[in-house]
Amino acid sequence: MGTALTPNETEVLALLRGANGPMTAYQLLGRMQRKGGAVAPPTVYRALKGLEEAGVVQRIETLRAWAVVTSPVPGVVAICDYCGSVRSVEAPSLFESLHQRLAAEGFAEARQTIEVHGRCGDCTGGRA
Amino acid sequence: MGTALTPNETEVLALLRGANGPMTAYQLLGRMQRKGGAVAPPTVYRALKGLEEAGVVQRIETLRAWAVVTSPVPGVVAICDYCGSVRSVEAPSLFESLHQRLAAEGFAEARQTIEVHGRCGDCTGGRA
DNA sequence: CAGATATACGTTATAGTATTACATAGCACA
DNA sequence: TGTGCTATGTAATACTATAACGTATATCTG
């Protein structure tokens, strides 16, 4: 199946798993430098590319940051602008509707990005 | 209603309208420099910010580029990776489903980004 | 009118994100 | 042994975006 991860990919993935949210490439770079000495941007970007192709991380486009994929199926990324939390919400029927809608236009999609900014339940319940 | 556009905003909007697709901020900058002499990045970014707030342009996140808003209502941005075309596809019921789905999670959305990469009808019909 | 405020813009510098290009090292295996 | 492949290192650069500060102009208002 998926080829095994390389050492660098493993390290980046571990860092992302240990974080409680997305990290930018340069945050990852900083962590790796504090551990391992001379690490340069291509090391991080190559690892991210590999992990993305393996389907285990994804770029959160609107944050220019990277996060572990938490759901087996593509989801809606819900980003709270108040507390910064990022959740992936599964919505298979939504993606199916999207597929249908695009098919009706003759468009064959290969990759969907759905990101939503707003306020999460925790931040809505409490004060502003 | 919407305040009038500033001269810089007007110029940037005209450039985007004249293009047949999204332009990056630095492409806009280059055009403005060839016309007007010394123009710096903040000039472009300020104009884009104003236009975005006015709802007449939007950033295409997955392209890191900017495009004129073509539909009165938020749409699905369909990007053909073969010919580079970018279209906004209206899908009100899709956005309504998205709203419902997020509301069920307690999430109140303020801004949605839906971008899809794939192959458009023109590129599907013909050869690879 | 003087002074206060607000908007738009100019200018310089810098921050933040990502890629290109080329070198090297190790492994697999004919 | 040598050939090719994968992963990595390394240096430089490209691309995207913002911060911080200054200036000009308009408008309001006492």
Side-chain angles (χ1 to χ4, degrees), chain B residues 41-63:
Chain B
T43 298
V44 174
Y45 281 101
R46 278 195 284 242
L48 288 170
K49 181 162 185 271
L51 291 168
E52 188 172 45
E53 283 166 1
V56 300
V57 309
Q58 67 181 139
R59 185 177 194 266
I60 310 300
E61 301 289 343
T62 56
L63 298 178

Side-chain angles (χ1 to χ4, degrees), chain B residues 1-51:
Chain B
M1 318 304 177
T3 339
L5 299 182
T6 70
N8 278 336
E9 286 168 357
T10 304
E11 183 175 2
V12 166
L13 181 55
L15 285 170
L16 282 175
R17 287 214 164 110
N20 55 1
M23 293 177 72
T24 71
Y26 277 73
Q27 285 172 336
L28 289 163
L29 180 61
R31 295 293 195 86
M32 290 173 76
Q33 286 172 336
R34 272 187 278 292
K35 289 192 198 184
V39 181
T43 298
V44 174
Y45 281 101
R46 278 195 284 242
L48 288 170
K49 181 162 185 271
L51 291 168

Side-chain angles (χ1 to χ4, degrees), chain B residues 11 14 22 33 39 41 53 56 82 88 91 93-94 99 111 115 121:
Chain B
E11 183 175 2
Q33 286 172 336
V39 181
E53 283 166 1
V56 300
Y82 295 84
S88 185
S93 67
L94 189 76
H99 172 71
R111 181 164 63 89
E115 297 177 14

